[in-house]
Amino acid sequence: MPSLKDLRNRISSVKATQKITKAMQMVAAAKLRRAQEAAEAARPYAERMDMVLANLAAAFEGQEGAPELMAGTGKADVHLLLVATAERGLCGGFNSSIARMARDHASKLIADGKTVKILCVGRKGQDALKRQFGGYFIDFVDLREVRRIGFSDAHGIGKKVLDLFENGEFDVCTLFYSQFKNVITQVPTTLQLIPASIEAGEDAAPVAGSQACYEYEPEEKELLAELLPRNVSIQIFRALLENAAGEQGARMSAMDNATRNAGDMIDNLTLVYNRARQAQITKELIEIISGAEAL
Amino acid sequence: MAELMKFELVSPERLLMSEDVEQVTVPGSEGEFTVLARHAPVLSTMRPGLLAVVQDGGTEEKIFVRGGFAEVNPDGLTVLAEEAVHMSDLDAAALAQHVKNAEEDVADATDDDKRARAQETLDHLKQLQDALKA
């Protein structure tokens, strides 16, 4: 049975924790709004890029001589997994769900006899995968110093990936990140970067009709060769922004839960404390009365 | 009054401009071209250079763009630029940095094709630097 002082100490420590989680929740809420705005502001560019690429890709459908970035190297022996996670923890299952997805994917590829290489973006993913797949790591990108993700960060990662591809280090590149659905749902997602998975969305269809009379400058092939590397960076940028928003969303709900749990714990402890206090008073009274009766 | 067309300037980070303008001169990779309303659909990459936008009423705005492409469709013109800075905000130091990067690219180029391309970029940037000084 803890003494009254122990109980008092515990209550005050839980109260301190609650203050911290409450503050973290509010900080996450403020950051979330900014991250969400950034993710939304980046959407027009990515959407137009998709549209143009879909148009161009349609022109190349089934043709020989499509760039390797789109058609692939013809093999699928070496896989590069690009795992994008957050830099900080305390955001619920956010990081672990991305890591789990990457882990499943990697295990499956290894079981199939493929070679796996892993490039981590974000410290948490690296930590989670280090024990099982430490030997497969080829590089690590640290974004801890970055306060606001800019296109240049994504471009740097994209360049790294493209350099590896040009040197023939891998055949297929898959990106793991978390798609931001809304504040409480983030969906861990895989996206094949190389060869590019270009989906002709429904909004691309009406444009495809007028596409026949497009004039290309330079030639389609050169244009595509120019745009595809850029598209890799754009996709990474989009993933990073979605991740940033998702991280804050996940942290906000995790901290909200933690604050509520701390509140429940304080209520329970206070109840125990009051009971113990009453018991002690009663005990003291009994001692005094029985002492007086004995006289 | 000239007919207006829709012009959008988009960077990966955000939508920078979206308005109706009279004409835009685009620094295409195979030469500058000016887009007016009802221009034929074109898709072109861009070299680093100045985008000259003539707004409704004839005031001209100059924007420095680097990397990206321009798409002319029946609705108007969309410019996707990796980087876009208003001419008045462009400072010599930032441009000097670009020139330095381009010089390094030329030095690092592994084959002739790449070197030629990097050299071209460098020349354009130097031209731009001169324009800014003038």
Side-chain angles (χ1 to χ4, degrees), chain A residues 80-88 95 117-130 133-146 153 156-158 160-161 164 240 243:
Chain A
L80 177 74
L81 310 186
L82 195 61
V83 185
T85 53
E87 290 291 348
R88 289 181 189 83
N95 288 319
K117 292 179 178 182
I118 299 177
L119 199 161
C120 281
V121 181
R123 195 163 50 100
K124 283 288 156 188
Q126 193 206 20
D127 289 347
L129 296 174
K130 196 159 48 191
F133 299 107
Y136 299 104
F137 283 172
I138 50 165
D139 209 345
F140 166 57
V141 180
D142 193 338
L143 296 175
R144 227 174 311 172
E145 303 295 315
V146 181
D153 300 313
I157 300 168
K160 241 178 217 179
V161 173
L164 286 171
L240 288 181
N243 252 1

Side-chain angles (χ1 to χ4, degrees), chain A residues 46-58 198 204 207 211 214 216 223-224 227, chain B residues 43 69-71 73 78 80:
Chain A
E47 272 168 13
R48 300 232 159 79
M49 191 81 172
D50 282 350
M51 233 157 74
V52 171
L53 272 180
N55 271 348
L56 272 173
I198 296 162
V207 187
Q211 169 253 352
Y214 262 105
Y216 294 102
L223 197 61
L224 204 55
L227 291 186
Chain B
L43 195 63
F69 60 97
E71 187 199 11
N73 54 32
T78 310
L80 303 190

Side-chain angles (χ1 to χ4, degrees), chain A residues 38 41-42 44-45 48-49 52 55-56 150-152 155 166 207 210 213-218 223 226-227 230 234 237, chain B residues 8 10-15 29-31 33 40-45 67-69 71-73 78 80-82 114:
Chain A
Y45 193 97
R48 300 232 159 79
M49 191 81 172
V52 171
N55 271 348
L56 272 173
F151 183 65
S152 51
H155 194 63
E166 266 174 33
V207 187
S210 61
C213 54
Y214 262 105
E215 223 172 273
Y216 294 102
E217 207 179 297
L223 197 61
E226 173 113 355
L227 291 186
R230 203 161 283 159
I234 300 281
F237 184 54
Chain B
E8 281 188 343
V10 199
S11 83
E13 273 146 42
R14 62 206 169 92
L15 184 69
S29 53
E30 304 200 331
F33 59 92
V42 172
L43 195 63
S44 168
T45 48
F69 60 97
E71 187 199 11
V72 184
N73 54 32
T78 310
L80 303 190
E82 238 164 66
K114 274 187 190 156

Side-chain angles (χ1 to χ4, degrees), chain A:
Chain A
M1 182 73 197
S3 74
L4 282 182
K5 189 162 181 347
D6 288 342
L7 281 170
R8 260 202 309 270
N9 283 344
R10 278 203 64 190
I11 290 173
S12 71
S13 100
V14 175
K15 267 186 184 155
T17 310
Q18 192 190 28
K19 268 185 202 152
I20 294 169
T21 56
K22 181 96 198 160
M24 278 182 82
Q25 185 206 338
M26 287 195 286
V27 171
K31 281 191 180 161
L32 170 69
R33 226 191 34 232
R34 246 179 302 155
Q36 225 173 332
E37 274 166 16
E40 264 156 35
R43 224 160 267 166
Y45 193 97
E47 272 168 13
R48 300 232 159 79
M49 191 81 172
D50 282 350
M51 233 157 74
V52 171
L53 272 180
N55 271 348
L56 272 173
F60 262 95
E61 202 97 275
Q63 266 186 53
E64 288 284 316
E68 283 197 335
L69 279 174
M70 196 170 88
T73 53
K75 297 177 291 183
D77 297 335
V78 186
H79 287 249
L80 177 74
L81 310 186
L82 195 61
V83 185
T85 53
E87 290 291 348
R88 289 181 189 83
L90 287 181
C91 44
F94 179 77
N95 288 319
S96 51
S97 61
I98 299 174
R100 191 182 321 125
M101 194 157 196
R103 194 180 299 135
D104 290 349
H105 196 82
S107 308
K108 209 164 71 206
L109 287 175
I110 291 168
D112 286 349
K114 313 269 188 202
T115 314
V116 173
K117 292 179 178 182
I118 299 177
L119 199 161
C120 281
V121 181
R123 195 163 50 100
K124 283 288 156 188
Q126 193 206 20
D127 289 347
L129 296 174
K130 196 159 48 191
R131 220 170 49 126
Q132 203 177 345
F133 299 107
Y136 299 104
F137 283 172
I138 50 165
D139 209 345
F140 166 57
V141 180
D142 193 338
L143 296 175
R144 227 174 311 172
E145 303 295 315
V146 181
R147 305 204 124 232
R148 200 159 176 272
I149 292 163
F151 183 65
S152 51
D153 300 313
H155 194 63
I157 300 168
K159 213 166 153 354
K160 241 178 217 179
V161 173
L162 289 172
D163 282 347
L164 286 171
F165 186 71
E166 266 174 33
N167 296 336
E169 299 262 349
F170 66 87
D171 303 314
V172 180
C173 175
T174 317
L175 173 66
F176 294 84
Y177 71 105
S178 189
Q179 203 184 355
F180 181 80
K181 272 261 151 68
N182 56 40
V183 179
I184 35 172
T185 17
Q186 295 87 29
V187 190
T189 314
T190 55
L191 178 76
Q192 188 169 313
L193 279 182
I194 301 170
S197 51
I198 296 162
E199 48 195 288
E202 274 165 30
D203 21 330
V207 187
S210 61
Q211 169 253 352
C213 54
Y214 262 105
E215 223 172 273
Y216 294 102
E217 207 179 297
E219 290 300 297
E220 274 133 312
K221 199 170 163 188
E222 267 179 69
L223 197 61
L224 204 55
E226 173 113 355
L227 291 186
L228 283 170
R230 203 161 283 159
N231 185 46
V232 171
S233 304
I234 300 281
Q235 297 295 354
I236 294 174
F237 184 54
R238 174 149 67 169
L240 288 181
L241 286 177
E242 295 250 347
N243 252 1
E247 179 197 349
Q248 299 305 340
R251 177 164 301 130
M252 204 175 95
S253 47
M255 287 302 120
D256 185 42
N257 267 337
T259 310
R260 217 167 316 124
N261 285 345
D264 288 349
M265 206 160 163
I266 289 170
D267 287 349
N268 283 338
L269 282 173
T270 315
L271 201 70
V272 175
Y273 172 74
N274 284 339
R275 219 175 266 153
R277 192 173 55 94
Q278 267 181 341
Q280 198 185 359
I281 293 169
T282 316
K283 205 174 84 194
E284 276 173 17
L285 276 178
I286 291 171
E287 275 164 15
I288 293 168
I289 293 167
S290 50
E293 269 175 4
L295 283 176

